[in-house]
Amino acid sequence: MTILVTGGLGYIGSHTVVELLQNNFQVIIVDDMSNSEKFILDNIEKVAGKRPVFFPFDLKRKELLSQVFDAYEIDGCINFAAYKAVGESQEKPLDYYENNLFSLINVLQEFKTRNISNFIFSSSCTVYGQADEMPIDENTPLKLPESSYGKTKQMGEEILKDFATAYKKKVSLLRYFNPIGSHPTALLGELPIGVPNNLVPYVTQTASGIREKLSVWGNDYPTADGTAIRDYIYVVDLAKAHVKALQKLLNETSETVIDIYNLGTGKGSSVLEVVNAFEIANDVKVPYQICERRAGDITVAYANADKAEKELGWKAETSLEEALRTTWEWQKYLVNRG
Ligand code: UD1
């Protein structure tokens, strides 16, 4: 089976490519390198013992994409290619809509024309907004996300549902909670560009001395310690869920399938709990200061991931501490690389 992985050199993409290769799938990566570096491809090969086929181009270039489909018999796609910075999406909404939606539609057009099924879409818990009740299951009503980034995820889901219904295709929409951590080999991990927006990369860079202090955005939330709560899911666990979701689609006998799964641990952790867990796991200090709340942040989000366990036989296995330990190993690797 040959799987196209768009954005396969990115953070979640690269970990998923390794899992696919280790499960004997052939992998073709298309990635424009806007948020990655070439050494990630080399490291995928080091970890998996196989080198995926790689094409460096932007998926908005339809003619190049068509050539890939001409050259290879593709059986399915996992679509990671997208911009993902919430704040930036507010300043450049058109860039986000153009990049995240046009690239998606271009791949779907090839699937339609060439009669290919099996499409997995990277969605996000952002589609739920601040849900009224915890934990969040797949039937929790969706709310319009505040950011244009979040809206591209909701629109992407709608496009895929229509695609599956109209053309009788199998699709899986995977709603990630907060992915963290790095590969246990310390050869793959997140490469934040500039100042990280997300909590764990900021914590890691602070512990490393690259940042002076972590800003904890608000300690007046209605939670036990006053800081906001999220569901932090280890990236390798998340990557494994993609393989399970793909195998399920491939085994489905019905023509039209629309699967939706929450991928989280089912456990909420506060910002200060993450900081403490990082300090304990790695025996390092993370200086921090309490600041005002960050605009657009929600109080609490954690998953009910029972559906994925029941239907995919998948559940998160790695503890927060273990995930944070791998993050620190990856940071040390990056520092040693120079
Ligand atoms: C955001 C997006 C989510 C996306 C995820 C990963 C929204 C509402 N959320 O999640 O869709 O999938 O990024 O890219 O669109 N925090 C600090 N200090 C920091 C950084 C973060 O205190 O320097 C706090 C935040 O206030 C928040 C928690 O840590 O409470 C997690 O923040 P972050 O890692 O940015 O993820 P989300 O905002 O949950």
Side-chain angles (χ1 to χ4, degrees), residues 38-205:
K38 193 68 187 293
F39 81 91
I40 296 289
L41 183 63
D42 301 330
N43 284 6
I44 287 173
E45 185 178 6
K46 281 183 201 153
V47 176
K50 286 177 230 170
R51 194 174 182 87
V53 178
F54 169 54
F55 294 102
F57 67 83
D58 183 331
L59 290 160
K60 295 196 287 307
R61 299 190 57 189
K62 281 180 164 188
E63 69 295 349
L64 293 180
L65 183 61
S66 238
Q67 286 168 17
V68 174
F69 279 86
D70 286 341
Y72 295 89
E73 204 162 304
I74 290 171
D75 299 292
C77 173
I78 307 183
N79 179 79
F80 293 104
Y83 293 158
K84 61 166 188 177
V86 174
E88 184 187 61
S89 79
Q90 296 300 86
E91 288 152 30
K92 302 176 181 172
L94 286 183
D95 292 350
Y96 271 67
Y97 291 123
E98 179 176 325
N99 187 63
N100 292 7
L101 299 179
F102 287 10
S103 59
L104 171 66
I105 291 167
N106 288 347
V107 182
L108 295 178
Q109 289 282 19
E110 294 293 337
F111 266 52
K112 187 197 79 182
T113 313
R114 296 168 194 264
N115 204 18
I116 310 171
S117 195
N118 309 309
F119 196 97
I120 296 186
F121 178 65
S122 290
S123 189
S124 165
C125 65
T126 194
V127 298
Y128 297 112
Q130 177 60 78
D132 297 327
E133 279 176 39
M134 290 299 135
I136 298 169
D137 69 23
E138 290 81 356
N139 296 319
T140 299
L142 304 190
K143 292 187 181 167
L144 196 63
E146 287 200 20
S147 71
S148 301
Y149 154 77
K151 287 176 194 157
T152 68
K153 292 295 173 194
Q154 240 181 40
M155 290 174 190
E157 288 198 359
E158 293 307 315
I159 290 169
L160 278 161
K161 286 184 204 163
D162 289 351
F163 167 77
T165 308
Y167 308 116
K168 297 193 173 60
K169 301 287 185 193
K170 300 189 252 183
V171 305
S172 195
L173 314 178
L174 303 183
R175 295 176 178 160
Y176 315 148
F177 282 67
N178 290 54
I180 60 161
S182 308
H183 199 269
T185 57
L187 290 169
L188 299 172
E190 193 168 4
L191 285 173
I193 302 174
V195 182
N197 294 308
N198 295 120
L199 177 62
V200 171
Y202 207 106
V203 165
T204 311
Q205 291 197 358

Side-chain angles (χ1 to χ4, degrees), residues 84-86 123-127 129 145-147 149-150 153 176-180 190 196-203 213-218 221 227-232 269-272 274-275 289 292-294 296-299 301:
K84 61 166 188 177
V86 174
S123 189
S124 165
C125 65
T126 194
V127 298
E146 287 200 20
S147 71
Y149 154 77
K153 292 295 173 194
Y176 315 148
F177 282 67
N178 290 54
I180 60 161
E190 193 168 4
N197 294 308
N198 295 120
L199 177 62
V200 171
Y202 207 106
V203 165
K213 254 184 216 167
L214 168 74
S215 298
V216 173
W217 305 125
Y221 284 101
T227 63
I229 290 175
R230 299 288 184 275
D231 183 338
Y232 296 93
S269 305
S270 73
V271 175
L272 289 180
V274 171
V275 172
Q289 59 190 348
E292 293 289 299
R293 291 182 183 194
R294 183 171 69 176
D297 269 350
I298 55 174
T299 304

